[in-house]
Amino acid sequence: MADKKKKKPQKLKARSPRGFVDRSAADIRATDEMIGKIREVYERYGFDPVETPAFEYTDCLGKFLPDTDRPNAGVFSVQDDDEQWMSLRYDLTAPLARHVAENINEITLPYRTYRNGWVFRNEKPGPGRFRQFMQFDADTVGAPGVQADAEMCMMMADTMEALGIARGDYVIRVNNRKVLDGVMEAIGLGGDENAEKRLTVLRSLDKLDKFGEEGVRQLLGKGRKDDSGDFTEGAGLDEQDISELFGIVILSTPDELFEVIGKPPYETKRNANLIAGANELNTMQSIFENCGYERDRIKIDPSVVRGLEYYTGPVYEAELLFDVTNEKGEKVQFGSVGGGGRYDGLVKRFTGQDVPATGFSIGVSRLMTALKNLGKLGQDDVLAPVLVTVMDKDTESLGAYQKMVQDLRGAGIRAEMYQGNPKDFSKQMRYADKRGCPIVIIQGNDERQSGKVQLKDMIEGKRQAAAIESNEEYRAARPGQFEIEAGSLVDEVKKLLAAQK
RNA sequence: GCGGACGUAGCUCAGUUGGUUAGAGCGCUGGAUUGUGGCUUCAGAGGUCGGUGGUUCAAAUCCACCCGUUCGUACCA
């Protein structure tokens, strides 16, 4: 045993890093298809592409200033030659803010741009959750009015439909940060001393989808015990505060919002934030209505939270409403597939001047899993190539095979010559079978002498083969195969491909 | 990060109270078949039993720690 162990050469284990995956041909094609459809919508809305690099100086990205203890908390960071910290971008918004600030004198505002690209997060990966994933963003920089936000919401809705998601299978939920801030202020959570508590409240509200109203009420109050028996400390609000909070958070139109804040207990507690938020939502709602985006597409929902860090006004997110099942057939909570909002302070960090902006992000990788499971994405509809098999290995024959391939390619047909070891013909057939080749082309010495070529319809061949039992018979029958004039190869292949559709 | 479950061949899994050389199905490679996919049949390759340490005459099996997967939870720009 010990001897055996020593003799074994230590093989290097091939493995991709945790949370990183390789993409198959089908995935790449599906992604390309999605990106194309999304881009078409953005272009139609008058946005232009711009691209930023994968790395940024860490301080430009935002809150993660790596200290020597944990330089990679949340982000992947490395130190450059000159000891400056750089990080892989974790979203596309912060780098855009940097780009705008750096080029503020050349850029004409309002600046309308889109971009897609990989972003990286150094977090615990899970099923459908990776440390590298793709986002597709659109932003309007230098637009202070909520009509820019409303446009974003409508563009998100159009994008969902362009991707083949039916109306009613998605919804864009819209809120305004000022409403949440105002409500929290109204129940006495204003001021710097309550900053921590406000965060807890927002985090709790964000879990409405997951835990339902009862679960969130527990989180807002004393706390909640989860299935594993773990206890999560609550925000510590009393029953009355929670009720007042829910009185607003469950509403679904600006009219209802105005009504509630016009009556007790809000009549006396309402504040500038709450009123401004309601007014902004009202303006956006009327834009949606005027443009024909009813509540089955875009819906006001004061429980929407989004990120805690930089949003300052309207926030919005796209949610899928149909059930998504995973490979094991289990239903998965899918949640939002994209979202965004107004970030008026992000560029100002660099320039000192107010540069209001709004934009959103679509989680391409995430959305793709949903669409794939739903069969709404072209299931790799690229046809495998026609295979020209190699029967004779002399120089002249090889040249003839290659010529057939080139002729087919010249006619726009995917084609390839067998590039493995050609000594075993049945191996070539098995290759064609596994590859899914629709047609195999065969020319041996006999055919060449008489200027013919064999064309084998792999689909028809498979069908006929089912009735044949003995191997001898099967081989003799050559199912699905017929002979044509070598000169008409391209035409015959075209004809057969068309017939196979 | 915290708590639970799990980890044996490429895949799905079996492996008795700790006991000889760790198995099956599928897949893979090759032969039967030097001009034909499927079927049939024969053969073969493939395992640090997740890792390290410990208990024991003896560990895939028991113990500890670590790593990974997964579920819940926390965090998520």
Side-chain angles (χ1 to χ4, degrees):
Chain A
M1 189 68 182
D3 285 349
K4 201 179 170 187
K5 233 177 189 173
K6 266 178 205 160
K7 267 185 247 164
K8 272 266 162 331
Q10 194 67 23
K11 278 180 291 186
L12 182 61
K13 172 119 177 145
R15 67 219 204 279
S16 54
R18 205 160 58 98
F20 291 87
V21 286
D22 299 331
R23 294 200 302 155
S24 66
D27 279 357
I28 294 168
R29 289 187 178 121
T31 308
D32 286 351
E33 187 185 327
M34 282 180 66
I35 288 172
K37 288 175 177 168
I38 297 170
R39 184 190 297 123
E40 217 175 290
V41 177
Y42 292 5
E43 288 275 353
R44 201 188 317 142
Y45 270 77
F47 288 77
D48 293 310
V50 72
E51 196 178 281
T52 65
F55 270 104
E56 294 281 345
Y57 284 119
T58 304
D59 54 3
C60 289
L61 281 182
K63 65 174 178 178
F64 292 98
L65 302 169
D67 52 74
T68 35
D69 294 338
R70 300 181 63 199
N72 287 301
V75 295
F76 294 97
S77 301
V78 295
Q79 219 166 357
D80 204 355
D81 288 351
D82 57 7
E83 312 231 311
Q84 293 196 69
W85 281 100
M86 309 193 303
S87 298
L88 282 170
R89 61 188 177 193
Y90 52 78
D91 71 8
L92 298 176
T93 310
L96 177 72
R98 187 230 87 218
H99 168 80
V100 171
E102 197 172 350
N103 300 285
I104 193 75
N105 293 324
E106 288 76 45
I107 289 174
T108 306
L109 300 179
Y111 182 47
R112 297 157 69 78
T113 71
Y114 70 81
R115 76 220 64 92
N116 69 290
W118 298 107
V119 300
F120 306 84
R121 294 189 187 178
N122 193 358
E123 290 168 354
K124 185 173 104 179
R129 199 177 163 153
F130 307 103
R131 297 205 288 176
Q132 173 184 344
F133 54 97
M134 190 178 279
Q135 293 191 331
F136 203 146
D137 280 34
D139 296 83
T140 302
V141 182
V146 291
Q147 51 291 5
D149 299 281
E151 182 185 50
M152 288 293 173
C153 295
M154 296 188 290
M155 188 160 85
M156 273 183 109
D158 285 8
T159 304
M160 292 293 127
E161 291 186 21
L163 288 169
I165 303 170
R167 201 163 297 182
D169 276 349
Y170 73 91
V171 69
I172 312 298
R173 297 155 68 221
V174 184
N175 190 19
N176 194 304
R177 220 7 116 55
K178 292 172 188 168
V179 171
L180 290 175
D181 287 345
V183 172
M184 290 191 288
E185 196 181 323
I187 60 172
L189 293 180
D192 289 347
E193 70 278 15
N194 286 314
E196 193 58 37
K197 215 168 198 175
R198 284 201 299 273
L199 273 182
T200 312
V201 170
L202 290 177
R203 284 175 187 143
S204 307
L205 284 178
D206 207 19
K207 297 189 171 67
L208 204 52
D209 280 353
K210 208 170 178 182
F211 300 147
E213 185 173 331
E214 192 42 47
V216 172
R217 277 179 182 271
Q218 288 172 10
L219 281 173
L220 288 170
K222 295 196 170 69
R224 178 179 180 274
K225 194 182 244 181
D226 65 55
D227 295 347
S228 70
D230 215 30
F231 184 75
T232 308
E233 189 69 35
L237 303 187
D238 61 35
E239 279 302 318
Q240 195 186 334
D241 288 343
I242 295 173
S243 292
E244 287 182 19
L245 195 55
F246 266 100
I248 291 217
V249 149
I250 57 166
L251 300 177
S252 57
T253 66
D255 286 345
E256 291 171 1
L257 195 51
F258 282 127
E259 199 187 326
V260 169
I261 65 176
K263 288 193 299 196
Y266 280 101
E267 189 182 20
T268 51
K269 290 181 172 181
R270 64 183 176 196
N271 51 57
N273 264 332
L274 202 40
I275 293 165
N279 277 324
E280 289 183 14
L281 283 177
N282 194 42
T283 305
M284 289 175 74
Q285 177 73 63
S286 74
I287 293 173
F288 299 147
E289 280 167 15
N290 281 331
C291 297
Y293 288 76
E294 300 298 330
R295 284 171 55 195
D296 59 340
R297 282 199 272 178
I298 303 178
K299 191 169 80 182
I300 303 296
D301 182 343
S303 69
V304 173
V305 178
R306 295 303 301 167
L308 307 167
E309 202 59 23
Y310 53 59
Y311 291 126
T312 54
V315 288
Y316 31 88
E317 67 184 20
E319 191 189 340
L320 298 182
L321 300 176
F322 52 81
D323 287 337
V324 176
T325 47
N326 64 14
E327 317 69 57
K328 290 176 192 156
E330 299 160 341
K331 216 192 277 184
V332 222
Q333 276 271 3
F334 219 79
S336 83
V337 291
R342 175 159 289 277
Y343 51 97
D344 284 348
L346 217 47
V347 178
K348 191 178 182 177
R349 291 196 306 130
F350 300 101
T351 59
Q353 319 162 16
D354 282 318
V355 184
T358 184
F360 70 89
S361 176
I362 286 180
V364 176
S365 311
R366 224 177 135 58
L367 193 46
M368 196 183 77
T369 1
L371 292 179
K372 213 162 47 174
N373 283 328
L374 205 70
K376 293 216 177 190
L377 219 48
Q379 305 282 57
D380 200 356
D381 51 5
V382 176
L383 199 62
V386 169
L387 182 74
V388 174
T389 54
V390 176
M391 206 116 240
D392 300 317
K393 294 103 193 166
D394 58 286
T395 312
E396 200 188 329
S397 303
L398 290 176
Y401 296 136
Q402 193 67 62
K403 174 72 165 55
M404 293 184 210
V405 173
Q406 294 296 14
D407 287 347
L408 290 167
R409 289 172 180 164
I413 298 164
R414 290 190 88 197
E416 68 178 47
M417 186 170 129
Y418 184 71
Q419 299 289 8
N421 185 347
K423 80 171 190 335
D424 185 352
F425 189 72
S426 83
K427 197 170 169 175
Q428 300 191 40
M429 291 305 297
R430 265 175 303 185
Y431 172 81
D433 188 40
K434 281 181 189 156
R435 191 119 159 71
C437 297
I439 298 172
V440 164
I441 290 160
I442 305 160
Q443 189 185 51
N445 197 38
D446 299 347
E447 288 87 359
R448 191 164 23 256
Q449 299 296 323
S450 50
K452 309 276 189 188
V453 77
Q454 299 281 343
L455 223 117
K456 184 170 173 114
D457 180 339
M458 294 296 281
I459 299 164
E460 175 62 14
K462 185 164 204 152
R463 204 184 58 76
Q464 290 179 13
I468 305 174
E469 275 178 28
S470 88
N471 199 40
E472 290 76 14
E473 195 188 335
Y474 172 73
R475 289 176 164 228
R478 298 182 179 178
Q481 191 170 327
F482 55 96
E483 195 172 74
I484 58 161
E485 293 296 328
S488 61
L489 176 68
V490 170
D491 289 340
E492 292 290 339
V493 167
K494 266 188 188 163
K495 229 192 313 181
L496 185 47
L497 283 176
Q500 282 176 341
K501 275 187 184 154

